[in-house]
Every structure is written in structure tokens, then in C-alpha cells.
Amino acid sequence: QGASSEAEQLDRLMERIEQGVEEFGQTSRAAREATSAYHSELSVKAGELETVPSTGAVISELASITRAMLKRTVEIEKAMQRSEEQTRNLKRRLEETRRVAEEDHLTGLPNRRAFEARYEAEYRAARAVGEALCVAFCDIDHFKRVNDTHGHDAGDRVLRLVAENLARISNERCHVARHGGEEFVVLFRDATIDEAFEKLNGLRAQLASRRLVNRSTDLPIGQLTFSVGIADVFASRNRRLALKAADAALYRAKRNGRNRICVARPNETRSSSQDS
């Protein structure tokens, strides 16, 4: 809950900054365009003054003031252009900062923070049009054993391998993210529980059929499997309870032998377990 609240505060801050930058950019563009128009109009007036016979000091002074104002408007317009370029650079940096903040550096997948935002958006959109929405937690079996036996570099390679496999089903209707540690989360929009089950079960079977070797030591890692818990989001009272239901189904899959997929039961709530 604390991490979620912190992420929401950061999102709101980023949105305010981006909004401020956008408003400043619009103001800057409007000011530059107004300055350019003023410069054009002033140039016309200056030309008219130059056609007037020089009959007195007043005309000469007006011409001199006009030339000075023309020079100043050129300087202002250039300053405005520099300001607009700086604004564009700042927007690009903000976009890059947001991208980095929402990406898991190890796997390249969206991280938990990005998933929370995506989950909320997809929940509202799916509910508005009456589409199905399923969420699944996928947890690598015996991952601690891989780290303890083969080291963290091998563990990182295993994480990337699982991430690459899960990413194969990712599209505009299926969103995959690293939720933390050895756990991944998958969100299926407009897909039934059975359809989500089939997609994940295919990946589970493919991964389980492989025998991995630690490239650094040539020692066998062996079979790599993951367990999954799936929940129909709209079968729960809210999206948070749906996550708890999927999490409970995941730990039931762990307790029942791992390397399997369990679908959340209507009355299932979060249970605690430890991977071993």
C-alpha cells in the first residue's frame, strides 16, 4: 500500500510538471508568434516612415525609435525560439525519465509501477464496454535454489529468459510486467479465463521442456518451471481483491506441486507461503 501511494504521488507530480511545461511551451509559442506579427507590422510602418520627406526632427526621431524597436523584436523572437527549444528538450527528458521509471532495468519489461497504472486504465476501460479482464501472477519455481547454487548472474539470466518467453504473448490486449523478484504479472483484456489459461499453459509447457545449463560453469541448471494463479477481475468486488485472488491461486499452485496453473476460487483470499 505504501509503495502504491508513493507511485501515485510521483505520477501526480510528473503530470503537474508535464502540464506546466506544456502550458509554458504554448505561452512561449504564442508570444513568439505575436512578436513576429508585431515585427512584421513594425517593418511596414518603418518603410512608410522612410518614404516621408525628412522635414523635421520628429520624423527622424520616430524613424530612429522604430529601427531600435525592430532590432529589439528580432532579439526577443530569437530568445523565444531558444526558450521553445529548451522546452522541447525538457519534455523529451521528462518522457525519458518516465520511461526509465516505469521499466525494469534487468528484463526490459514494464515494472510494478507501470503495471499499476496500466491495470487501473484497463480496468476502467474494460468495465465501461463490458469486456472481460483477467489477471495472472507467474512465479518461477525454486528460484532461490538457482541463485544459491549457480549465483546471481545465472539467476538474472533465468529471469530474462522467463521475461522473454512471457513477452511473446504481449500485445495491445495482453500486458506483461515484472511485479518484483521472480514474480511476473500478466493482464489479459477481452480474454476469458480459459483463453488466458491456454496461452500461459503453452508457455509453461514450452519452458518446462527445456533443460538449462549455466554457461559460466557448464553445470546443469536443469528444468525451469513456473507456477501461475489466474483470476477473473470482475468476479471480485474490486481490482485489488482480484489481485489478491490471483495471488492466492498462485500459492495454491505452489502448494499443489508447482509447475501448474490454478484458477482463483470465488471465495479465495490472500494466503502466505514461501518458495523453497
Side-chain angles (χ1 to χ4, degrees), residues 3 20 46 61 87 89 132 134 153-154 183 198 201 224-225 235 247 254:
E61 185 176 356
T87 301
N89 288 337
C134 299
D153 287 344
E183 189 173 73
E198 287 303 315
N201 198 45
L224 181 65
T225 64
D247 196 49
K254 292 282 191 180

Side-chain angles (χ1 to χ4, degrees), residues 225-243:
T225 64
F226 61 79
S227 301
V228 182
I230 306 179
D232 176 350
V233 174
F234 294 122
S236 297
R237 291 197 305 274
N238 58 56
R239 59 191 179 92
R240 293 297 170 195
L241 289 177
L243 288 179

Side-chain angles (χ1 to χ4, degrees), residues 88-143:
R88 286 192 291 270
N89 288 337
L90 181 54
K91 286 181 68 175
R92 284 194 291 268
R93 290 178 181 177
L94 282 170
E95 289 168 0
E96 176 66 15
T97 298
R98 181 180 286 278
R99 185 189 66 78
V100 171
E102 294 181 346
E103 183 180 284
D104 175 59
H105 73 280
L106 179 64
T107 64
L109 291 176
N111 59 18
R112 182 172 181 170
R113 176 178 180 273
F115 168 75
E116 291 290 342
R118 170 64 67 178
Y119 185 34
E120 180 178 1
E122 294 292 337
Y123 179 83
R124 292 180 178 179
R127 184 172 60 179
V129 297
E131 289 181 342
L133 191 67
C134 299
V135 64
F137 281 121
C138 308
D139 190 272
I140 302 173
D141 296 325
H142 301 297
F143 181 72

